[in-house]
């Protein structure tokens, strides 16, 4: 069975970031959004493995939404950690899945 290792690592990175945000500043919003986006990335990435090219659209959209949200937070705060790093890695993962569409 095929496995999207990079997609699962990215999903774990996002979920772990949400957990760290919760433990560091008691932010329930960070925990919930990290776990939800991590689960969505993991599920959509695994669906894309071994299926037609159209299945790569779902993880690309999830990464795009995460890029927009965290990119706007980075632009407002001008702090690279954590918003800038998540936005940058989301952009890279979005491009990875978008290139698989063609």
């Amino acid at each position: 069975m095929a496995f999207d290792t990079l997609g699962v690592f990215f999903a774990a990175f996002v979920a772990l970031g949400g957990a760290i945000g919760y433990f560091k500043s008691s932010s329930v919003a960070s925990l919930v959004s990290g776990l939800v986006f991590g689960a969505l990335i993991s599920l959509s990435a695994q669906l894309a493995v071994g299926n037609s090219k159209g299945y790569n659209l779902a993880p690309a959209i999830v990464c795009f939404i995460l890029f927009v949200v965290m990119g706007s937070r980075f632009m407002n705060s001008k702090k690279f950690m954590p918003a800038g790093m998540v936005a940058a890695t989301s952009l890279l993962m979005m491009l990875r899945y978008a290139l698989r569409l063609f």
Side-chain angles (χ1 to χ4, degrees):
M1 180 175 170
F3 188 73
D4 185 6
T5 307
L6 194 56
V8 171
F9 279 136
F10 179 60
F13 167 73
V14 170
L16 182 64
I20 290 171
Y22 174 73
F23 290 119
K24 196 170 181 186
S25 62
S26 299
S27 173
V28 176
S30 291
L31 178 63
V32 170
S33 62
L35 293 176
V36 167
F37 273 101
L40 286 174
I41 292 166
S42 180
L43 288 172
S44 61
Q46 288 311 112
L47 285 174
V49 173
N51 288 316
S52 66
K53 292 182 179 185
Y55 280 89
N56 285 298
L57 185 60
I61 290 172
V62 173
C63 291
F64 175 74
I65 293 169
L66 191 58
F67 166 71
V68 169
V69 169
M70 296 306 277
S72 67
R73 289 188 61 200
F74 170 68
M75 295 304 287
N76 290 334
S77 70
K78 302 294 187 225
K79 295 179 182 177
F80 183 72
M81 288 296 291
M85 183 178 3
V86 174
T89 53
S90 296
L91 177 64
L92 292 174
M93 290 300 288
M94 179 189 65
L95 291 173
R96 176 179 181 253
Y97 290 115
L99 289 174
R100 289 181 173 182
L101 290 170
F102 304 104

